[in-house]
Amino acid sequence: MKKTGAIIWLPLTVFFFISTAFISFQSSHNNNLVPEEGFAIPDDVNQILETSCFGCHNVESSSDKAKKKLLIDQLSELSKAKLVGKLGDIGEVIEENEMPPEKFLAKYPDKALTSDEAKRLKDWAEEAVNELIK
Ligand code: HEC
């Protein structure tokens, strides 16, 4: 009787461990899903970001608040889901005319987005999201 128990439980236990390990591997893998082709920002968009946004939203920035919200130089490190979120945020702040901040523009008026630049950024953010979720 004892022996039969071991014959049944041992394989079951092994099976249980293997499937748990497999499932957790699968889900951690999916959570970290980075875009397969990598995430590249087109040159013209990069130039606009560089002029009007990058100064505050990069890892070396002195603005902790800005860094917490968006790191343009780290976008390609994000999971797909987070990237979609950040691109959505970018579209939103452009739409609402919230970025660059007014105070900053008062000091550096030449860093304001022209309406063409704002449109390009918004279109790019939208297209990039569509590309990521298709
Ligand atoms: C002078 C520094 C500065 C510049 C330039 C700047 N930002 Fe920001 N940005 C900030 C700060 C500070 C915050 C955080 C605001 C807060 O927490 O209320 C922020 C927040 C954000 C957020 C998060 C908004 C939210 O509510 O989650 C996004 C997205 C963003 N900025 C995008 C941009 C884009 C795009 C540009 C260029 C067009 C830009 N920023 C230019 C300082 C800057």
Side-chain angles (χ1 to χ4, degrees):
M1 209 49 197
K2 246 185 175 172
K3 217 173 173 185
T4 338
I7 288 170
I8 294 171
W9 283 111
L10 191 65
L12 268 181
T13 314
V14 171
F15 176 72
F16 177 74
F17 273 111
I18 292 176
S19 37
T20 325
F22 184 69
I23 290 165
S24 65
F25 167 74
Q26 282 280 31
S27 54
S28 70
H29 194 70
N30 280 344
N31 283 342
N32 293 323
L33 207 63
V34 285
E36 287 118 44
E37 316 79 30
F39 182 71
I41 301 175
D43 284 347
D44 63 327
V45 171
N46 218 1
Q47 205 141 25
I48 302 169
L49 292 172
E50 180 89 38
T51 306
S52 301
C53 319
F54 191 77
C56 300
H57 293 287
N58 77 87
V59 285
E60 313 260 282
S61 163
S62 55
S63 169
D64 286 331
K65 265 190 180 172
K67 275 160 63 169
K68 224 161 85 184
K69 295 281 185 177
L70 175 70
L71 290 172
I72 294 169
D73 47 350
Q74 299 285 302
L75 284 177
S76 62
E77 312 283 316
L78 296 179
S79 68
K80 240 187 206 187
K82 288 216 168 123
L83 187 49
V84 166
K86 292 297 171 195
L87 289 164
D89 291 346
I90 293 175
E92 209 166 293
V93 296
I94 304 294
E95 179 82 44
E96 306 281 322
N97 230 342
E98 282 174 20
M99 289 284 147
E102 254 173 66
K103 263 191 193 163
F104 169 79
L105 290 179
K107 223 167 155 187
Y108 307 99
D110 55 319
K111 304 226 177 211
L113 296 172
T114 65
S115 55
D116 280 352
E117 286 170 339
K119 183 172 184 322
R120 179 69 184 111
L121 278 189
K122 238 175 28 180
D123 289 349
W124 161 72
E126 205 177 305
E127 280 162 23
V129 166
N130 288 338
E131 196 62 32
L132 286 164
I133 63 176
K134 85 172 178 196

